[in-house]
Amino acid sequence: MRWTLATLLGSALVAHQALADLSFTVEATRKGVRIPQSEIKLVPFEFGRSRIGHGHGTPPPGPPGRSSSKMRRANPSATSANWCGSVNTTPSNNPIKVVHGAFQHPTCSPRAGVTTFPQAAANWVGIDGDSWTSALLQSGTVCKISSNGAIVHEVWWQWVPSAAFTISSMPVQPDDWFDITINTTSTTAAQVTIINLSQGHSYTLSITNGPTLARVNADWVVERPYYGSGLVSFPSFTDVWFDEAWATRTTGSLGILGAKQFQIPGLCASQEWDDTHEVSWSL
Ligand SMILES: *[C@@H]1O[C@H](CO)[C@@H](O)[C@H](O)[C@H]1NC(C)=O
Ligand SMILES: *[C@@H]1O[C@H](CO)[C@@H](O)[C@H](O)[C@H]1NC(C)=O
């Protein structure tokens, strides 16, 4: 099935249609077996994400079946109101083609002393949105805590400034390992592959007519998302380790070595541990 914003959103959110003519198809497998289209469900993502912003403990083992070395390094630091994590930038004449990362969805809890809800933390891999501010293609997970204490976990994607989608047929729990690959085939088309490594559950979205990317920023981020026009409260969450954080370019590759290490002052800290590892944690 070919999804369009109109088929997905109905009339209630028709305003988003003006933003882009983006459309996409979704294919999904579970342990290599195709999931019927009728069982693939996407819904509008509750949090607005159209504003583009400007470790502790012992590292856990890497993704299942993979090995990883971990050594603390020091990247240049930057601050942001809503991004915590690594952004590496390439010159526009050597653009990024693929961005990859694997992480464990964290355990979230209401932040001590914070009484405003919802609270949400989004963990994602993306391309652009930092030095190129007019578009950002991103995918990952989010935990959301509502005022009654209920915590929901979701997989989502968005090609900013177009609308965001939750893949509601792909459940996620704390500690699940996710492997995200964003493979751009042009500045306006990409394949996004989301794999639950623990279960071999894989979704591939083929998206066309997206807002134009420059393909200059590779992002591995824990974000405090917007809700309406304001930032939501940021919950506490367990450390998020981005593993195998790599990007390919026309020439050569790009990791997090030398990336800008974004901090959200007072709320979230981020460190680089080696060229393929990064950790973020809430303060
Ligand atoms: C991912 O794997 C975990 C087991 O580690 C499982 O509990 C969870 O439901 C899986 N999610 C999907 C979407 O397959
Ligand atoms: C990206 O897409 C191209 C074209 O479809 C394909 O040849 C390549 O293997 C993909 N790369 C990754 C890392 O998925």
Side-chain angles (χ1 to χ4, degrees):
M1 152 160 202
R2 187 150 198 96
W3 304 75
T4 63
L5 295 178
T7 56
L8 202 58
L9 302 178
S11 55
L13 286 165
V14 78
H16 286 297
Q17 276 184 268
L19 292 173
D21 296 314
L22 170 153
S23 67
F24 55 95
T25 58
V26 190
E27 302 213 329
T29 59
R30 192 184 293 115
K31 297 198 167 127
V33 178
R34 187 170 291 260
I35 298 172
Q37 290 288 324
S38 59
E39 292 177 23
I40 298 174
K41 307 257 183 270
L42 280 81
V43 296
F45 185 71
E46 179 192 4
F47 291 91
R49 305 182 53 77
S50 56
R51 303 244 182 137
I52 301 174
H54 259 261
H56 50 197
T58 317
R66 302 182 190 176
S67 66
S68 32
S69 63
K70 295 189 169 74
M71 185 172 46
R72 172 86 174 89
R73 293 182 192 265
N75 271 349
S77 191
T79 58
S80 167
N82 58 333
W83 284 22
C84 184
S86 283
V87 175
N88 214 345
T89 297
T90 185
S92 56
N93 63 1
N94 186 19
I96 293 163
K97 301 181 94 153
V98 176
V99 182
H100 175 267
F103 63 89
Q104 250 176 319
H105 182 67
T107 297
C108 299
S109 54
R111 183 173 289 270
V114 174
T115 53
T116 50
F117 291 90
Q119 299 187 5
N123 323 280
W124 51 270
V125 175
I127 183 165
D128 286 344
D130 181 31
S131 60
W132 182 257
T133 56
S134 60
L136 160 63
L137 176 56
Q138 51 179 180
S139 181
T141 64
V142 65
C143 59
K144 301 187 285 194
I145 310 176
S146 49
S147 55
N148 66 6
I151 305 181
V152 298
H153 308 279
E154 292 174 344
V155 179
W156 61 273
W157 67 279
Q158 180 175 22
W159 198 323
V160 180
S162 198
F165 304 105
T166 295
I167 305 176
S168 55
S169 54
M170 189 172 192
V172 43
Q173 294 165 13
D175 293 339
D176 285 0
W177 272 102
F178 280 84
D179 180 295
I180 311 262
T181 307
I182 298 178
N183 187 353
T184 60
T185 47
S186 75
T187 55
T188 58
Q191 281 199 340
V192 177
T193 303
I194 307 160
I195 303 172
N196 180 332
L197 290 169
S198 315
Q199 295 250 326
H201 193 143
S202 173
Y203 275 69
T204 297
L205 300 127
S206 301
I207 315 165
T208 53
N209 291 323
T212 303
L213 299 167
R215 301 193 282 182
V216 290
N217 308 128
D219 320 316
W220 299 273
V221 168
V222 179
E223 182 176 0
R224 177 185 182 190
Y226 279 87
Y227 188 64
S229 59
L231 290 166
V232 282
S233 294
F234 210 37
S236 292
F237 51 89
T238 52
D239 294 0
V240 178
W241 286 86
F242 286 94
D243 239 292
E244 301 180 1
W246 53 258
T248 64
R249 301 185 279 184
T250 302
T251 307
S253 60
L254 198 66
I256 60 170
L257 186 61
K260 241 190 313 184
Q261 210 67 42
F262 278 104
Q263 320 289 329
I264 306 178
L267 290 178
C268 180
S270 173
Q271 284 183 351
E272 179 201 356
W273 276 62
D274 61 31
D275 197 23
T276 55
H277 301 88
E278 177 218 338
V279 63
S280 303
W281 65 91
S282 62
L283 299 173

